[in-house]
Amino acid sequence: MTPTVLGLVLVASVAHALWNIAAKSVSGKGYAFVLAYHGLSAILLAPVAIWLLVSGAHELSPSLLGAAALSAIFHIAYSVSLQSGYDHAPLGVVYPTARGVGPIITIIIAVLFLGERPSAPETIGAFIVLAGIAVVTVRPRGAAFGASRGSHGVSHGVSHGVSHGVGRATIGYGVGRGLAWGGLIGTFIASYTLWDDFSVNHITDSPLLYFAVSEACVAAIMALGIVTIPGGAGRRADFMSILAGHKRALVTVAVLSPLAYLLVLFAMQQAPVSLVAPVRETSIIVGTLLAWWFFGEKNIGMKLTGAVVVVAGISLIALG
């Protein structure tokens, strides 16, 4: 991986962590908030997409439209499963499992079926990055898991729950459910990562147009859902509440979320997805350190240790 590509992914990680911090301020309105910021992102990207089409630089082919629509479905599935996982299992199990499973599945499929052949140092570095992420997200021995509802329903939205004491049987049951939800969410992460990698390398050479169309599809599908699925009235009320009372968080996420993923899409055009996938998860490190800085979260020693491990893995990837 070249220094330029590595820089793209690391900048994307910082942007990802920052918009997650903003998303944390909005709680209990997951579907409506996701719809709101995807809708605003689609509006912001629309003029750029129109210019690309009108200028003749790119065209909206049926294959691009179909690929973007499938990408939108993968991203919505990820968002909904993430939200449900946080509702039904401990965040401390769901989140690290999902963020670890996603890159591992991506690496395995990319190597076994897509013919990618990262060098030995790059492969070792990728798994060292995942190990460092595990160190950051693991809870200290004896700490209870807290289940909470995530403040946003996509890739990357995390909200730390309030820990509460639970019995041994409850912990075991919660861990089992958390692993199951985390595995499902990680599968969707790998799905959209691999599909988007294929799309920007084989269907279109414009990640910007591809992502703009995908965002429009997400917004359209979720807008249809908010008026057709049960509980729509409550979600519509939540949507209006977000527009009225969470403007700063909405704009921050709507700008930084597409920026972060666009950088990843450009990186996937220039480097193997088996390397991009684990490196982009360094956003967990950035987000964890920001949470310590802004919200006073504990166990900074463990988090810094994990960050050092991640840096070591990234160094191997860069050198490889």
Side-chain angles (χ1 to χ4, degrees), residues 73 129 173 178 204 247 260 266:
I73 292 172
V129 168
Y173 181 58
T204 177
K247 294 184 179 69
F266 280 110

Side-chain angles (χ1 to χ4, degrees), residues 180-274:
W181 277 108
L184 176 65
I185 296 163
T187 300
F188 286 131
I189 292 173
S191 298
Y192 74 66
T193 300
L194 289 165
W195 178 250
D196 290 344
D197 174 69
F198 173 80
S199 297
V200 298
N201 283 289
H202 300 284
I203 295 178
T204 177
D205 59 355
S206 175
L208 186 53
L209 179 60
Y210 172 75
F211 186 70
V213 175
S214 178
E215 282 291 90
C217 290
V218 171
I221 293 171
M222 294 192 73
L224 179 63
I226 207 170
V227 298
T228 58
I229 60 177
R235 291 187 180 91
R236 289 192 291 275
D238 289 342
F239 184 83
M240 298 308 296
S241 172
I242 288 166
L243 294 182
H246 297 279
K247 294 184 179 69
R248 180 176 298 180
L250 174 59
V251 172
T252 300
V253 178
V255 172
L256 291 183
S257 176
L259 171 63
Y261 199 62
L262 276 170
L263 292 175
V264 169
L265 291 178
F266 280 110
M268 290 194 297
Q269 285 188 316
Q270 304 173 60
V273 67
S274 56

Side-chain angles (χ1 to χ4, degrees), residues 132 134-140 298-307:
V135 171
V136 170
T137 55
V138 71
R139 286 176 178 266
K298 299 178 181 179
N299 307 311
I300 187 59
M302 182 73 77
K303 301 177 195 306
L304 290 176
T305 300

Side-chain angles (χ1 to χ4, degrees), residues 12-13 16-17 19-20 37 74-75 78-79 81-83 86 91-107 126-127 129-138 152-158 178-179 181-193 260-261 264 276-285 288:
S13 297
H16 184 276
W19 74 253
N20 271 271
Y37 77 71
F74 282 140
H75 280 277
Y78 157 74
S79 302
S81 62
L82 181 73
Q83 204 65 29
Y86 287 166
L91 179 145
V93 180
V94 174
Y95 185 65
T97 301
R99 304 316 300 185
V101 167
I104 289 174
I105 293 176
T106 300
I107 292 171
F127 282 99
V129 168
L130 294 177
I133 291 169
V135 171
V136 170
T137 55
V138 71
H152 109 282
V154 295
S155 99
H156 332 320
V158 180
L179 291 173
W181 277 108
L184 176 65
I185 296 163
T187 300
F188 286 131
I189 292 173
S191 298
Y192 74 66
T193 300
Y261 199 62
V264 169
V276 174
V279 174
R280 72 180 290 240
E281 299 303 341
T282 55
S283 61
I284 297 174
I285 304 294
T288 300

